[in-house]
Amino acid sequence: MLAWSTACARGAPRPVASVTRAPFGTTDRGESVSAYTLKNANGMEARVLDYGGIIVSLRVPDRHGRFDDVVLGYDSLPAYLRASPYFGAIIGRYGNRIAHGRFTLDGKTYTLAKNNGPNHLHGGLKGFDKVVWDVAPFEHPDSVGLVLRYTSRDGEEGYPGTLRTTVTYTLTSANELIFDYSATTDRATPVNLTQHSYFNLAGDGKGDILGHVVTLNADRFTPVDSTLIPTGELKRVAGTPFDFRTPTPIGERIDQDDVQLRYGPGYDHNFVLNKAGDAHDPTFAARVYEPASGRVMEIYTTEPGLLYSGNFLDGTLHGKGGVVYRRRYGFAMETQHYPDSPNKPTFPSTTLRPGESYHSRTIYKFGVQP
Ligand code: GLA
């Protein structure tokens, strides 16, 4: 086991931030997988695999200083290899759906796997969530983290161009988990990277998330068809169950008779984030508060959209410690460009060209409310 530890000399008791590594099994192709544990000076801890960049656990304090794991996932690698709804993973080359597994770029049509009904989802059959990334840990005085690198070859999963991808996970002494994504390509390609952690701020496996109180900085959302492909409209949330501009429990309107909620079923929609100021600075996207524990998660991002979902757990998956993940036992908030952008010329572009570089930053900041 490798270990990197830094003692921050700021008087007693001396806080220690560290990164440690331990084996986590072997893939079907014989690749060794490691788990890295990032710990900050407050005792907040993230456990991350080089396989898929998966966040296996995330321990954060409640209002009494008690730590709990707030993400869903599995205890062992075989469970992740067998059937995972993208628990905790990096999603690429394209997060969310591309209609009919097809897009045209510079006059050429590309065909992708249809791995979600008639559509392509989350990069295909073997997306960035199912590959082993190169990992380099780092420690700085106020943060620890990992630099994850993966090169996706030209033609992989049907996408054009060799895509060199770097994703940096940083855990700061301010209880932030920061994701920095960057990529370059040698041929024009769509790129839309995100992170697919599922949260339950009451603690993993401790019931459904319907009582979590959500605020979204979004005046509009992208309505979908019955296969969850955006229609192209940017619809105002005012007067709909999609209005989270003021703090509202997730469960308050989730079962209302609304055609969009029927398609979800529930919320499985991209919200159009309100943006002001410099596009390179992360802006406030969402706040989630769990009343019993007092835990709060705030999300800031440079991305234009936030896909908010969590309906598809159905009691068939057994997570960490054997807990059964029933319907709505977790929610995901995936910062990203809008679904199906390669086929929607009016949406912000997801095309990356040679000579350009892709950059995106998302911050999950954890705290408590009395
Ligand atoms: C995204 C999609 C959902 C579902 C999950 C993965 O959040 O929008 O419909 O496919 O990924 O289970």
Side-chain angles (χ1 to χ4, degrees):
M1 176 158 132
L2 296 173
W4 298 264
S5 324
T6 310
C8 311
R10 287 216 197 101
R14 287 166 73 192
V16 173
S18 62
V19 183
T20 55
R21 183 174 103 184
F24 197 77
T26 308
T27 68
D28 300 342
R29 298 169 58 202
E31 302 149 303
S32 324
V33 172
S34 297
Y36 293 79
T37 302
L38 317 182
K39 201 164 185 165
N40 75 4
N42 312 316
M44 181 172 157
E45 190 186 289
R47 202 155 167 249
V48 179
L49 305 183
D50 49 12
Y51 178 78
I54 292 173
I55 300 175
V56 173
S57 66
L58 184 65
R59 297 181 59 78
V60 301
D62 69 6
R63 66 162 69 88
H64 304 295
R66 284 187 298 248
F67 283 78
D68 245 319
D69 183 1
V70 296
V71 295
L72 281 62
Y74 293 124
D75 288 318
S76 71
L77 188 62
Y80 281 105
L81 300 178
R82 202 166 40 238
S84 173
Y86 306 92
F87 280 143
I90 297 170
I91 306 296
R93 185 177 301 199
Y94 196 92
N96 211 272
R97 294 177 177 76
I98 297 179
H100 309 298
R102 203 169 53 226
F103 65 92
T104 301
L105 184 56
D106 296 339
K108 189 167 182 308
T109 298
Y110 296 89
T111 308
L112 311 168
K114 292 179 185 170
N115 57 332
N116 187 256
N119 302 318
H120 177 81
L121 178 71
H122 291 337
L125 300 176
K126 187 172 180 185
F128 291 4
D129 58 301
K130 296 184 185 65
V131 300
V132 178
W133 293 65
D134 273 340
V135 172
F138 63 85
E139 292 184 332
H140 300 310
D142 282 315
S143 63
V144 292
L146 304 174
V147 179
L148 299 101
R149 289 197 176 82
Y150 176 66
T151 299
S152 169
R153 63 178 170 74
D154 184 19
E156 187 173 306
E157 290 295 324
Y159 291 97
T162 308
L163 190 76
R164 295 182 194 285
T165 315
T166 304
V167 183
T168 304
Y169 287 12
T170 306
L171 175 62
T172 73
S173 53
N175 286 4
E176 296 157 322
L177 193 55
I178 304 179
F179 304 96
D180 284 294
Y181 304 83
S182 58
T184 57
T185 186
D186 58 6
R187 288 172 66 196
T189 180
V191 185
N192 190 27
L193 305 177
T194 190
Q195 225 289 336
H196 210 309
S197 286
Y198 292 71
F199 296 91
N200 183 336
L201 298 182
D204 174 34
K206 298 209 175 129
D208 67 47
I209 47 73
L210 297 177
H212 285 53
V213 180
V214 169
T215 313
L216 299 179
N217 185 18
D219 292 343
R220 293 171 298 169
F221 75 109
T222 52
V224 290
D225 68 16
S226 63
T227 72
L228 299 179
I229 294 292
T231 59
E233 183 192 0
L234 307 186
K235 188 177 161 72
R236 297 217 162 263
V237 296
T240 77
F242 294 82
D243 191 349
F244 283 93
R245 293 174 299 171
T246 54
T248 309
I250 294 178
E252 194 168 292
R253 299 161 304 185
I254 202 167
D255 291 321
Q256 275 186 11
D257 185 20
D258 175 281
V259 65
Q260 287 295 317
L261 290 175
R262 272 205 296 282
Y263 289 154
Y267 299 105
D268 193 336
H269 292 77
N270 169 65
F271 287 77
V272 176
L273 295 173
N274 301 332
K275 291 282 172 183
D278 189 338
H280 299 291
D281 287 335
T283 52
F284 173 67
R287 184 177 195 273
V288 188
Y289 164 61
E290 199 284 305
S293 65
R295 288 192 186 94
V296 174
M297 178 170 89
E298 286 176 349
I299 302 177
Y300 299 83
T301 188
T302 56
E303 285 296 308
L306 178 112
L307 193 291
Y308 163 39
S309 69
N311 311 296
F312 25 81
L313 301 166
D314 60 3
T316 53
L317 299 179
H318 292 242
K320 288 174 278 188
V323 298
V324 178
Y325 291 138
R326 299 189 198 286
R327 189 136 189 260
R328 297 175 177 158
Y329 262 43
F331 65 89
M333 292 221 177
E334 303 149 63
T335 54
Q336 53 168 37
H337 274 55
Y338 313 160
D340 200 32
S341 296
N343 293 309
K344 297 281 189 303
T346 58
F347 285 180
S349 172
T350 49
T351 304
L352 180 70
R353 295 184 179 279
E356 298 175 345
S357 54
Y358 172 99
H359 286 290
S360 163
R361 169 173 264 217
T362 290
I363 302 170
Y364 289 160
K365 185 170 171 53
F366 292 88
V368 293
Q369 184 176 310

